[in-house]
Amino acid sequence: MYFKNLARQLLASSACVSLVVATPLAKLETRHDQKPIKPKVFLIDMFTPEAEIWYGIPEFNLLAKNITVPGLSPLFPDVHCTANHDVCQLITGEAEINAAATVTGLVFSSIFDLRETYFLIAGIGGVNPKVATIGSVTFARYAVQAALQYEVDAREKPAEFSTGYFPLGTKFPTTYPKDIYGTEVFEVNQALRDIAIKFAKTAKLDDSDAAKKYRSHYATNPAYKAGSQPPTVVACDGITSDVYYTGKLLGEAFEHTTKLFTNGSGLYCNTAQEDSATLEVLLRGAIHHLVDFGRIIVMRTNANFDRQYDGESAVTNLFTSSGGFLPSVNNIYRAGIKVVEGILHEWDSKFCKGIKAPNYIGDIFNSLGGTPDFGPSGGFGSSSPLGKRSALNRG
């Protein structure tokens, strides 16, 4: 009886294993004897509206090929590609964890050869009215991770603090972080960004009557003049935060964070929930020569303001429709298609060989070589009191 029961258990166990592994293995084997796919442009979108704006367009059919890749989001398990695989699309799912997990699945998949691929991060976000307006298209040089700080509720902060946020390992908001994690700042290819801006400026941007009416409220404050103007294409930088924040005080706090973390070079204009996570994975891929970190474009269109206009409450700003959502989604396509077409049309003559970066590219640890133009004074040498995630006395 013992051996009969043992046999039943072994058979049951074997059956369970075969059921678990059969489906993934079958999917992996579909491309077993084929060469890796080599896209020229990879669109990285974060959720359904950003993704679907690329479908049914006249320039190409992004749904001609649908490729299931292990490790992608359960909500978006497929990479979509044109028939010739020149353009592909990944949908990460929203926020940092989803973005990191999904992009990891892509970068370390043997299905794709991404060493010559250009990545266009193309999503919506919030906007700083000091720099741009709803409907605008922004292209970043820096992505800053806002949450790598201490936080004290603003109602309990010291009177001399301008904000409840202050850098890790420090005791004041004005001091550069002393406790470094490595994802505080990413810098991408400025020359490529400028080329993308030139392409995007040929687009006719969308707008709406509701957006025009809402942004007109910002004209009463001279500091928000840019916020009251029609949509444009702007070079400025983004904050990554899982927290969907709003309000003048938080907006100004993260303006300061951007300036501080980039040693005064960054100009905060845009909010995002994924960019730093996506860039960290692409950087790790670059370390292993799987991607070229110099071929990344960070484009965000602006759906709402990150703070209220004078006379409005922060909560009202958060919950009132600004009329910017639909134009921002439409402008992902309107501006983005100009960038994609520009790369494809000049592939042989210009983009295949890559665009040389005139600036440092990478993270704060100079993981890809070179010398960062941001980071702590003295860097991370043996004589520096700062360290990569240095020990902090919490006693």
Side-chain angles (χ1 to χ4, degrees), residues 40-192:
K40 293 175 181 175
V41 179
F42 226 117
L43 305 171
I44 299 181
D45 299 304
M46 278 51 75
F47 74 131
T48 300
E50 296 170 352
E52 290 185 345
I53 196 63
W54 295 99
Y55 306 157
I57 62 175
E59 292 82 3
F60 49 73
N61 178 12
L62 200 52
L63 299 177
K65 297 289 183 70
N66 303 289
I67 304 154
T68 301
V69 180
L72 269 53
S73 166
L75 297 177
F76 310 106
D78 297 334
V79 165
H80 306 299
C81 296
T82 56
N84 61 4
H85 298 119
D86 276 358
V87 183
C88 292
Q89 179 195 55
L90 176 73
I91 311 166
T92 66
E94 295 168 275
E96 292 178 78
I97 292 175
N98 280 323
T102 297
V103 180
T104 297
L106 172 71
V107 169
F108 291 93
S109 168
S110 60
I111 297 174
F112 294 93
D113 179 350
L114 304 171
R115 291 173 294 176
E116 295 181 353
T117 300
Y118 287 85
F119 294 91
L120 175 59
I121 299 173
I124 65 172
V127 64
N128 174 2
K130 293 181 180 179
V131 181
T133 192
I134 47 178
S136 286
V137 183
T138 65
F139 290 86
R141 174 178 172 183
Y142 298 103
V144 176
Q145 192 174 11
L148 294 185
Q149 303 189 72
Y150 298 131
E151 181 187 4
V152 176
D153 189 303
R155 293 166 294 186
E156 299 176 305
K157 70 177 180 62
E160 66 273 20
F161 280 23
S162 60
T163 173
Y165 284 90
F166 53 107
L168 296 173
T170 75
K171 295 183 178 180
F172 302 98
T174 55
T175 307
Y176 202 91
K178 293 184 178 179
D179 207 7
I180 305 295
Y181 285 42
T183 57
E184 286 79 3
V185 183
F186 294 95
E187 184 172 357
V188 298
N189 187 336
Q190 184 177 356
L192 179 61

Side-chain angles (χ1 to χ4, degrees), residues 371-393:
T371 303
D373 47 10
F374 54 88
S377 176
F380 297 100
S382 59
S383 62
S384 173
L386 307 174
K388 298 178 179 180
R389 186 59 178 99
S390 60
L392 179 66
N393 180 6

Side-chain angles (χ1 to χ4, degrees), residues 319-342:
F319 294 121
T320 298
S321 173
S322 67
F325 179 79
L326 287 178
S328 70
V329 171
N330 290 335
N331 287 339
I332 289 176
Y333 162 67
R334 293 196 180 196
I337 193 63
K338 299 298 184 181
V339 177
V340 174
E341 288 187 316

